[in-house]
Amino acid sequence: MTQAPSAKPDHQRPELPDFWDKRFAAGATPWDHGSAPAELEALLPPPASATPPRILVPGCGHAREAAWLDQRGWAVTALDFAPAAIAAAREVLGEWGGELRCADFFDFPVAAPYDVVYERAFLCALPRKLWPGYGPRAAELVRPGGYLAGFFFFSDEPKGPPFGIGMAEQEALLSPWFERMVDAPAQAPIPVFAGGERWQVWRRR
């Protein structure tokens, strides 16, 4: 995605890979929770069909959920635009059956939409100026009847990352394409999000 010129150096701009490369290099990744959350386990049981359902994990970071999903038979694409995140993911994933891509969520090529897009610590990592593109892009990536599911960070704190969202703001962002089916507090929220995480499932219209 083409960005407007900025006075800040690249490593201070969260819309650019350099920002996240610096944090992975320093080991400053407090959003890395280390395991698959209980909500994901309840939502996504092992596939029963011969053709495994397809799931995208954008902003995958260390890709721990991607590894968990692959082990349970899902066809997983783990995506991140920061090379350091991809390197960290390779260490976690090892030999696996999924696809690991270093690419931008907003414009990477897709052959067919996914059954599920899994969200955790991705939207809140994006500067708010990029949010208007999130809803339509998610709609492109999820098949009709499929799901955008995961954890969203709610907060009125203006600074970030993480950049918190409000309920009305989120509704305006997603409701043209998705219907919210589930909304509940995270069972085990990541401490860096200070209890602002909510587990949600949105069905693609």
Side-chain angles (χ1 to χ4, degrees):
M1 173 174 278
T2 302
Q3 304 295 334
S6 171
K8 291 183 178 180
D10 288 356
H11 70 269
Q12 293 180 11
R13 299 174 61 193
E15 70 269 32
L16 297 178
D18 284 5
F19 180 94
W20 303 101
D21 281 339
K22 183 176 181 180
R23 279 146 185 81
F24 274 91
T29 58
W31 59 86
D32 179 27
H33 47 90
S35 62
E39 291 93 338
L40 184 63
E41 296 189 32
L43 177 72
L44 302 177
S49 65
T51 303
R54 301 171 64 245
I55 186 167
L56 173 69
V57 183
C60 67
H62 289 84
R64 301 190 197 283
E65 286 106 324
W68 183 89
L69 288 160
D70 174 67
Q71 291 165 5
R72 281 151 184 82
W74 283 74
V76 188
T77 298
L79 181 81
D80 209 296
F81 75 161
I86 294 296
R90 284 199 182 99
E91 291 188 13
V92 169
L93 295 169
E95 295 295 327
W96 77 312
E99 180 184 20
L100 181 62
R101 298 181 68 168
C102 187
D104 191 316
F105 169 81
F106 290 99
D107 59 16
F108 78 100
V110 187
Y114 294 88
D115 298 296
V116 180
V117 169
Y118 174 66
E119 161 71 46
R120 191 166 209 186
F122 179 62
L123 178 62
C124 67
L126 299 174
R128 293 186 176 92
K129 64 185 179 182
L130 300 183
W131 285 5
Y134 178 89
R137 180 56 169 162
E140 287 182 88
L141 294 171
V142 179
R143 64 167 176 80
Y147 297 94
L148 169 64
F151 297 87
F152 293 86
F153 175 56
F154 292 87
S155 172
D156 57 7
E157 168 59 50
K159 295 182 179 180
F163 298 100
I165 198 169
M167 279 289 186
E169 187 178 16
Q170 186 201 40
E171 184 74 20
L173 193 68
L174 296 177
S175 63
W177 305 277
F178 295 90
E179 177 185 6
R180 185 167 51 215
M181 311 297 290
V182 176
D183 175 37
Q187 294 183 35
I190 299 174
V192 71
F193 298 125
E197 276 191 305
R198 298 189 69 82
W199 167 256
Q200 296 186 340
V201 178
W202 292 76
R203 184 177 183 273
R204 177 74 164 89
R205 297 185 192 277

